[in-house]
Amino acid sequence: MENIILGLLLLQSRTIYQLRKRINDGLNLMYSCSTGSIQSAIKKLLRHGYIDIGEVTEKGKLKKLYAITDSGKKCFHDWLCRPIGNGATKNPELSKIYFLGFAEKETRLKLIENHIDGLKKILSDLKKICDDGATLLNENKDNDIFRYQLQTAIYGRDLMKFNIEWYNRLLKNIEE
């Protein structure tokens, strides 16, 4: 979470609310977040001197605004330049599928159908993010930041398509 926050602050200074919104609007495939997890990461980053805190007035309210420091930029760059991990993506929900044979057939069908509906909603959101990202990239053709943010969104979109196809095959298998 700390590196996600540093990367977002490298783009622009933000409040906790803005950080959480940005993570929920496009990075939630990589990290799910709560205000508490962001606050915890912020405290750690402040303690290490990787970010500074300032104040800004928005709509008459005083809010804390976080910005990355030079040491935070170095920390982020060091993290970014380390090899990309090959760890398997973990999906705790698959444990439910593993034991689904203990449920009645109608329960199995309903659970899978509801899950597919949820995945379709996520896919719809990811398609919009990809479309918006493609527009941004077309307007800023030489911007490598947008290029790789778009590629991450495309990965999420394609992964969601795969998941929907996989769960549809499982649903068909249960129905037979």
Side-chain angles (χ1 to χ4, degrees):
M1 176 61 70
E2 289 86 3
N3 290 312
I4 295 293
I5 291 171
L6 288 174
L8 290 173
L9 294 178
L10 193 57
L11 293 169
Q12 72 181 56
S13 298
R14 300 172 196 254
T15 64
I16 285 181
Y17 171 81
Q18 291 168 328
L19 285 167
R20 183 165 189 228
K21 182 167 177 21
R22 182 63 187 99
I23 292 168
N24 285 337
D25 288 349
L27 299 170
N28 56 358
L29 276 179
M30 294 172 269
Y31 285 93
S32 57
C33 73
S34 65
T35 303
S37 64
I38 292 174
Q39 288 172 332
S40 176
I42 291 275
K43 286 178 187 174
K44 183 176 179 182
L45 293 168
L46 284 167
R47 193 170 48 249
H48 290 291
Y50 296 149
I51 62 173
D52 280 332
I53 186 170
E55 293 181 339
V56 64
T57 303
E58 280 184 14
K59 299 178 184 176
K61 291 185 178 181
L62 196 59
K63 297 187 176 190
K64 295 177 182 177
L65 188 68
Y66 299 93
I68 193 166
T69 62
D70 287 340
S71 62
K73 289 175 186 176
K74 181 182 179 334
C75 174
F76 180 79
H77 185 266
D78 291 347
W79 166 77
L80 190 61
C81 293
R82 286 196 304 263
I84 297 171
N86 293 325
T89 303
K90 304 225 184 289
N91 183 345
E93 288 302 311
L94 280 178
S95 62
K96 188 174 277 192
I97 303 302
Y98 186 82
F99 292 110
L100 204 54
F102 288 110
E104 298 294 322
K105 182 177 181 179
E106 292 305 313
T107 300
R108 292 178 221 159
L109 291 170
K110 185 151 184 74
L111 285 169
I112 300 302
E113 289 167 351
N114 289 340
H115 190 61
I116 291 170
D117 289 343
L119 294 174
K120 287 179 179 177
K121 167 69 172 104
I122 294 169
L123 177 60
S124 174
D125 293 345
L126 286 166
K127 284 179 178 178
K128 182 176 181 343
I129 290 168
C130 288
D131 291 345
D132 293 347
T135 300
L136 272 174
L137 186 58
N138 284 335
E139 294 169 357
N140 303 278
K141 291 190 188 309
D142 296 328
N143 190 316
D144 284 341
I145 294 170
F146 291 148
R147 181 176 323 284
Y148 289 100
Q149 288 177 346
L150 175 58
Q151 290 305 311
T152 305
I154 290 169
Y155 171 84
R157 181 200 63 201
D158 292 350
L159 180 62
M160 205 52 52
K161 285 179 183 178
F162 168 81
N163 283 326
I164 291 168
E165 290 169 10
W166 189 88
Y167 278 101
N168 275 321
R169 285 192 307 270
L170 176 62
L171 187 62
K172 187 178 279 188
N173 183 278
I174 292 170
E175 290 171 339
E176 293 175 350

